Amino acid sequence: MLVDSNQWDVIVIGGGSAGLSAALQLGRAGRRVLVIDAGEPRNRFAEHMHGVLGSDGLSPLEYLERGREEIRHYGVALHRGSVTTAAEEGQLLRVETAAGEAFLGRRVIAASGCRDGVADVPGMGDRWGRDVLHCPYCHGWEFRGARLGVLASSSASIHQALLVRQWSESLVFFNAEAGDLPVDVSTRLQARGVIVESRPPSRLVVSEDRLTGVELHGGDVIPVDALFTTPLLKSNEEYLDGLALEREESKLGGFLRTDKAGRTSNPKVWAVGNVARPAETVPMVLAAGSAAGAAVNMDLIEEEFEAALGG
């Protein structure tokens, strides 16, 4: 069924930092905006959010609740739901949810984020966002000087090993999934005291609800207080399949192709945040959402002037 026969100027799919930032710009522009949110932000597993000026150390969920209150002030509507399809319907876009609801919008901003997949090592999923982490800029300070590990998920993890060394002199690179390291890479790591451990891990060792080590095949345990890893990423974009949007490949996988403002190959659809740029942190997606909101508003303005001129 069509929940509201009156169309929306913009439907934002995803109520994380990127989506709320876009909605804030559009709400302040007087646009009729609907945010549809499944309520599963990517950073919900972390107790604290860092590197966000003015909100450093705040709970990610509290941060989003503040954002929701701000956009409500500008008349933006919020709806809890999981979007299953988005398709063109005449000059509009039709968005449907798993509950059978349907909404029409002149433009759509996809801000539905991505999913983090971790290595199939017992204990990884349970510790995710606590002491199994992906971003040293987000969590490195809290574990500075501790015994750190980097668990490779592919050859791309070499960059992460070089990066994490900044936060501690005690670092072990578990490189089994990275393959044989080039001689120059091994030399660089060893020059800064990074221990390279090629034996594959069998499980994480946890004591009193704290990560204490990585057990290797054979039984040896390497002590660590925190483990960084590059997750296997999957963007939450299945609902866009019917629009056949252009994609591009990167070291982190395949994602939607967009211009600098977030516009996709469909001129009525934008994609911002981790759904299109999986490596971006909260401050980055806030900026991307704000830019997309302004760009969408200008696009609608141009359409309205053309209509007024009889174009």
Side-chain angles (χ1 to χ4, degrees), residues 1-4 8 11-16 20 23 33-40 68 71-72 75-83 95-103:
M1 65 175 177
L2 189 63
V3 173
D4 191 335
W8 300 87
I11 299 174
V12 179
I13 302 173
L20 294 181
V33 183
L34 172 67
V35 176
I36 305 176
D37 183 33
E40 296 181 346
R68 287 189 286 268
I71 66 172
R72 287 190 186 101
V76 175
L78 290 156
H79 181 75
R80 179 58 58 87
S82 179
V83 174
V95 171
E96 298 183 1
T97 70
E101 304 154 316
F103 304 88

Side-chain angles (χ1 to χ4, degrees), residues 28-311:
R28 285 180 54 81
R31 293 296 177 184
R32 192 161 187 265
V33 183
L34 172 67
V35 176
I36 305 176
D37 183 33
E40 296 181 346
R42 182 184 182 188
N43 60 0
R44 66 190 182 277
F45 301 102
E47 292 184 5
H48 304 285
M49 178 184 65
H50 296 284
V52 184
L53 188 64
S55 298
D56 188 71
L58 193 67
S59 158
L61 299 182
E62 182 180 348
Y63 182 74
L64 293 179
E65 181 53 38
R66 290 184 182 182
R68 287 189 286 268
E69 286 300 317
E70 289 176 358
I71 66 172
R72 287 190 186 101
H73 177 73
Y74 297 106
V76 175
L78 290 156
H79 181 75
R80 179 58 58 87
S82 179
V83 174
T84 55
T85 60
E88 295 188 83
E89 186 167 300
Q91 298 300 309
L92 302 174
L93 292 158
R94 181 186 179 93
V95 171
E96 298 183 1
T97 70
E101 304 154 316
F103 304 88
L104 293 175
R106 297 167 64 190
R107 301 291 185 273
V108 160
I109 298 178
S112 41
C114 68
R115 305 186 291 277
D116 295 305
V118 296
D120 187 20
V121 175
M124 289 284 288
D126 294 338
R127 308 305 303 176
W128 184 247
R130 302 167 69 188
D131 39 32
V132 174
L133 311 159
H134 76 291
C135 175
Y137 290 108
C138 301
H139 306 287
W141 175 264
E142 285 63 47
F143 290 97
R144 66 194 184 281
R147 301 170 301 178
L148 302 182
V150 170
L151 178 63
S153 57
S154 70
S155 60
S157 298
I158 293 172
H159 169 75
Q160 191 177 44
L162 297 170
L163 178 62
V164 172
R165 172 59 180 80
Q166 172 63 22
W167 281 265
S168 178
E169 295 180 358
S170 176
L171 176 62
V172 180
F173 181 33
F174 300 93
N175 75 311
E177 292 299 319
D180 294 334
L181 297 180
V183 174
D184 63 322
V185 172
S186 295
T187 301
R188 286 167 66 83
L189 291 170
Q190 292 171 11
R192 296 208 67 198
V194 178
I195 297 172
V196 177
E197 177 54 71
S198 298
R199 290 174 292 175
S202 60
R203 70 181 183 98
L204 301 190
V205 180
V206 177
S207 177
E208 298 181 352
D209 199 30
R210 294 174 63 92
L211 177 65
T212 60
V214 175
E215 183 175 317
L216 307 173
H217 285 286
D220 289 344
V221 175
I222 307 298
V224 297
D225 301 306
L227 187 65
F228 286 86
T229 189
T230 301
L232 308 173
L233 301 174
K234 175 64 176 176
S235 59
N236 298 318
E237 56 169 276
E238 291 84 355
Y239 59 91
L240 297 170
D241 287 350
L243 294 172
L245 302 177
E246 292 180 5
R247 304 174 60 78
E248 59 186 352
E249 294 296 322
S250 72
K251 290 182 178 180
L252 297 177
F255 294 87
L256 297 173
R257 183 188 297 277
T258 67
D259 65 13
K260 291 183 179 180
R263 197 174 205 164
T264 71
S265 55
N266 184 311
K268 297 182 185 297
V269 179
W270 272 253
V272 296
N274 291 161
V275 71
R277 299 284 186 273
E280 291 185 345
T281 61
V282 171
M284 296 175 185
V285 303
L286 286 173
S290 181
V296 169
N297 182 56
M298 193 64 221
D299 190 51
L300 291 171
I301 287 172
E302 291 174 353
E303 181 178 87
E304 288 156 0
F305 270 97
E306 286 296 316
L309 291 169

